[in-house]
Amino acid sequence: MKRLVVAALMLLTAGTVSAQQSFLDNQKMFPKVGEAYREKEEMLKKEFEKKGLTYPAKYIFVRSFKLDSEMEIWVKNSPADTFRLFKSYRVCTLSGKMGPKRREGDRQVPEGFYYINDFNPNSNYHLSLGINYPNFSDRILSDPKRPGGEIYIHGNCITVGCIPLTDAFIDEVYILAVNAKNAGQDFIPVHVFPVKFGNIRSMDYLGNFSLTDNTSQQFWVELKTAYDYFEKHHRLPVVLVDDKGKYIM
């Protein structure tokens, strides 16, 4: 009887330990994630220290700029803090053109306000982080039957509508995202813009570009309003969607 009781207690204890396993510990069990931590974490710690930042960041914010082929990671460690730029990564390539994604197969990279909704440690594209396209705005404005989906930030440096990085870069971004989620950030914001609105040459290009339905300029004004707010305050704007799919602040 004593042996049965001890065995039962051991099973209960094992179940409790398993249930308490952190998101970070679980991710590290996957070979590519574990290798990324072994190869990149010390370097990330040193980069954080060099920039006067605390590692690991409890909150991160991702901004991507299509024409400028750039993706930024901003970090902070308290809700009351303002975000600080940690690093800018080069986006490998771009499919489609300026303007939002509106249907499956259009090869467009989405534009708008999203968050990371998937961690894929077994991705065919090394590692990948999914974003929640289509969002509320996209569901109103995109093809109602086939808006498309499965948009990721990923490795392998190839794309059809996603945001591709080199494997070395996605290793770093994936680690930062895992750390933030492990610290409790369930919704990691990802803002995707057609251009870096502070870049004059990019703005000049955008000013000469229009979509076939002539809605591009108004849509980009909505995006720029949020961009400008963050540039001024280094805090995330509160972005809502009205019943016509328009972004409003």
Side-chain angles (χ1 to χ4, degrees):
M1 177 62 73
K2 288 182 178 179
R3 289 182 179 179
L4 289 174
V5 171
V6 170
L9 287 172
M10 288 176 66
L11 286 173
L12 287 172
T13 302
T16 301
V17 171
S18 177
Q20 291 177 346
Q21 185 181 54
S22 70
F23 180 75
L24 172 59
D25 291 335
N26 178 267
Q27 284 287 312
K28 281 185 173 181
M29 292 175 65
F30 294 94
K32 285 185 283 188
V33 180
E35 184 178 0
Y37 268 88
R38 288 190 296 272
E39 293 186 354
K40 297 288 186 179
E41 188 168 37
E42 285 305 314
M43 182 200 70
L44 285 170
K45 288 179 180 178
K46 290 178 182 178
E47 289 192 35
F48 267 67
E49 183 179 1
K50 185 178 180 180
K51 296 180 179 180
L53 301 169
T54 302
Y55 182 91
K58 294 182 179 179
Y59 300 90
I60 70 171
F61 165 49
V62 182
R63 290 201 307 183
S64 186
F65 307 97
K66 289 165 64 171
L67 181 66
D68 303 85
S69 297
E70 187 177 344
M71 193 181 78
E72 300 173 342
I73 303 294
W74 294 73
V75 301
K76 66 178 184 176
N77 279 286
S78 165
D81 294 342
T82 55
F83 278 100
R84 293 177 61 186
L85 179 63
F86 166 60
K87 197 169 183 177
S88 295
Y89 294 92
R90 186 73 178 171
V91 175
C92 289
T93 186
L94 174 68
S95 68
K97 57 185 180 179
M98 299 300 101
K101 182 175 182 64
R102 289 293 179 243
R103 66 181 184 280
E104 182 180 347
D106 62 5
R107 302 178 63 88
Q108 287 292 94
V109 178
E111 294 174 10
F113 307 106
Y114 303 95
Y115 60 84
I116 291 173
N117 68 347
D118 184 34
F119 288 74
N120 186 354
N122 290 318
S123 173
N124 291 329
Y125 302 95
H126 190 56
L127 296 169
S128 60
L129 299 165
I131 67 172
N132 68 316
Y133 174 90
N135 63 17
F136 289 122
S137 173
D138 299 321
R139 291 182 185 279
I140 294 171
L141 298 175
S142 299
D143 186 310
K145 294 182 178 180
R146 301 182 65 183
E150 296 187 355
I151 303 299
Y152 286 83
I153 302 167
H154 60 66
N156 272 22
C157 212
I158 56 175
T159 187
V160 182
C162 293
I163 302 173
L165 306 173
T166 64
D167 289 356
F169 286 169
I170 191 62
D171 279 349
E172 295 182 25
V173 174
Y174 198 92
I175 287 171
L176 295 171
V178 167
N179 288 343
K181 183 170 177 62
N182 190 67
Q185 188 182 16
D186 290 326
F187 298 95
I188 298 173
V190 180
H191 292 185
V192 186
F193 298 107
V195 299
K196 200 169 213 176
F197 290 108
N199 185 320
I200 295 175
R201 293 181 64 181
S202 297
M203 285 293 288
D204 288 343
Y205 176 87
L206 202 63
N208 294 322
F209 189 93
S210 62
L211 300 178
T212 54
D213 60 7
N214 294 319
T215 62
S216 58
Q217 299 302 324
Q218 179 56 47
F219 177 73
W220 289 329
V221 166
E222 297 167 21
L223 300 190
K224 186 176 184 299
T225 300
Y227 172 92
D228 289 342
Y229 179 91
F230 182 82
E231 284 293 288
K232 181 177 180 180
H233 302 286
H234 286 182
R235 298 183 186 277
L236 290 172
V238 176
V239 180
L240 304 176
V241 177
D242 69 13
D243 57 3
K244 294 182 180 180
K246 179 181 177 181
Y247 291 119
I248 54 176
M249 282 181 56

